[in-house]
Amino acid sequence: MKTFLKALILVPLALLVVLLAIANRGPVRLSLDPFSAEQPLLSYELPLYLVLFGAVMLGVLMGGIATWLGQAAHRRAERRYRREARGLRQEVGEVRAKTGGGLPALTTSAPR
């Protein structure tokens, strides 16, 4: 069912991307020189769809990097919690080894 839903979404999306590329094949000048509009030093003739897809890919990459950097504090806290949990597991194992497998409060019977 999951693959069917994925295909139901991705096939029309891929079709739209192909149609966009076919409809926007005309060349455009991509200039990377902000100082000279008439004779730019760095300019390229590219189909419009390549410029559009490149801008989308650049946006996805920049968004991913920003998200990754924004979650640094959460990853740091997770590492700290994992170290703490590992230490607590080790401590519980040591207590169990000293008491013969059970915790002292559970192995001794209190008078009623």
Side-chain angles (χ1 to χ4, degrees):
M1 183 70 178
K2 196 178 206 181
T3 56
F4 175 73
L5 290 175
K6 231 190 267 188
L8 189 65
I9 293 171
L10 291 179
V11 168
L13 187 63
L15 184 63
L16 284 174
V17 168
V18 169
L19 290 174
L20 179 76
I22 291 171
N24 293 295
R25 290 180 300 202
V28 293
R29 180 174 298 276
L30 178 66
S31 176
L32 302 174
D33 186 5
F35 301 113
S36 176
E38 294 81 30
Q39 293 294 333
L41 293 176
L42 293 171
S43 68
Y44 303 98
E45 288 280 332
L46 298 170
L48 180 59
Y49 73 90
L50 283 181
V51 175
L52 291 174
F53 293 162
V56 168
M57 285 191 289
L58 184 64
V60 167
L61 181 66
M62 289 174 62
I65 290 171
T67 301
W68 184 74
L69 290 174
Q71 293 175 348
H74 299 291
R75 287 192 307 275
R76 192 177 316 114
E78 182 182 355
R79 284 192 300 269
R80 187 177 72 238
Y81 294 146
R82 283 185 185 187
R83 280 193 303 270
E84 184 178 338
R86 194 178 314 122
L88 290 172
R89 280 191 206 105
Q90 183 178 1
E91 188 176 330
V92 167
E94 291 171 0
V95 168
R96 283 184 178 164
K98 285 180 185 177
T99 60
L103 294 176
L106 298 176
T107 56
T108 61
S109 59
R112 293 182 187 209

